[in-house]
Amino acid sequence: MSNPNLPSLFLIGAPKCGTTSLAAWLSDHPGLFMCTPKEPDFYAPDVASSIEADNIEAYRALFSAARGDQICGEASTTYLRSQKAVGAILKDVPDARLVVCLRHPVDLAVSVHGQLVRTGRETEADFAKAWALQETRRANLGQRRADHNPADQLYGDMAMLGAQVQRLLQVAPREQVLFIFLEDMKRDPRSVYRAILTHAGVGDDGR
């Protein structure tokens, strides 16, 4: 049984695969409470640049405004890539419902690079050149700062979705995992939305 003080629905990644849109859709459902900030990253200290809640009490506080009849959720895209997150989530919430958003990995890598360029965390604007810098960067990873993890510039690692999913399924029961593809979100958002509601255990609100 879920811990009532913790979320039971987790959108765990991958980045640039539609989790922001999904979290926004779900936050408007009357039976769901999605925390603010969208990505607390609590369970991924090995990956996240910063952690919004650095202890379990602070993490629980993110969901304190939820009504008793609402299912709580969050959407941290670091969790799929993390070596620790999914195991830690299932230790705290054994019946957690996990949603994994995916897309073509090359498109993901290009999109992550574009975001880092726009936010000033990537100095090489040409994706092919940034890709070629990966091994040099891997050998000289700098210190993480509050807004940037240098490992995010290892675009090949970021896009290794197959390995990340394989690691996930070694830990999480298959029936607790729902896979969503960005391409399907664009083609048929209604069906994707309904699938997540069913997975989360809440009724369809007709949107």
Side-chain angles (χ1 to χ4, degrees):
M1 181 176 294
S2 294
N3 185 327
N5 297 315
L6 292 172
S8 60
L9 177 64
F10 295 82
L11 277 60
I12 65 171
K16 310 307 293 180
C17 291
T19 57
T20 298
S21 293
L22 289 178
W25 298 353
L26 297 174
S27 68
D28 288 333
H29 188 288
L32 292 168
F33 178 89
M34 301 297 290
C35 75
T36 301
K38 172 203 165 222
E39 301 194 45
D41 293 320
F42 175 70
Y43 288 103
D46 58 325
V47 174
S49 298
S50 61
I51 307 295
E52 291 291 339
D54 60 4
N55 60 70
I56 191 66
E57 289 77 17
Y59 184 62
R60 286 195 179 104
L62 298 177
F63 307 94
S64 61
R67 301 192 314 269
D69 61 342
Q70 288 180 308
I71 289 174
C72 293
E74 61 125 308
S76 297
T77 60
T78 53
Y79 291 167
L80 182 63
R81 185 161 50 109
S82 169
Q83 299 282 339
K84 304 176 180 180
V86 174
I89 289 169
L90 293 174
K91 181 179 179 180
D92 284 351
V93 190
D95 58 351
R97 314 307 288 182
L98 308 176
V99 178
V100 181
C101 303
L102 303 170
R103 70 188 296 187
H104 193 294
V106 174
D107 294 338
L108 180 150
V110 172
S111 184
V112 169
H113 170 262
Q115 182 180 38
L116 294 186
V117 170
R118 289 191 298 273
T119 56
R121 293 175 286 167
E122 169 62 80
T123 58
E124 178 50 70
D126 183 274
F127 175 70
K129 292 179 180 178
W131 182 272
L133 290 171
Q134 288 182 101
E135 293 313 310
T136 299
R137 287 172 166 175
R138 188 189 304 279
N140 299 282
L141 283 177
Q143 294 294 314
R144 281 190 283 182
R145 62 178 195 255
D147 64 342
H148 179 52
N149 180 354
D152 291 349
Q153 295 174 313
L154 302 179
Y155 302 107
D157 292 358
M158 292 280 285
M160 290 184 68
L161 300 180
Q164 294 169 23
V165 167
Q166 185 176 44
R167 181 174 63 240
L168 163 71
L169 293 177
Q170 290 173 345
V171 178
R174 178 63 183 86
E175 65 272 14
Q176 291 177 222
V177 183
L178 175 67
F179 292 102
I180 296 295
F181 292 89
L182 180 62
E183 294 82 0
D184 292 335
M185 285 180 60
K186 293 179 178 179
R187 177 182 56 82
D188 191 355
R190 169 74 174 146
S191 292
V192 169
Y193 177 64
R194 290 182 64 188
I196 297 174
L197 296 183
T198 298
H199 189 62
V202 295
D204 182 10
D205 60 352
R207 287 183 299 141

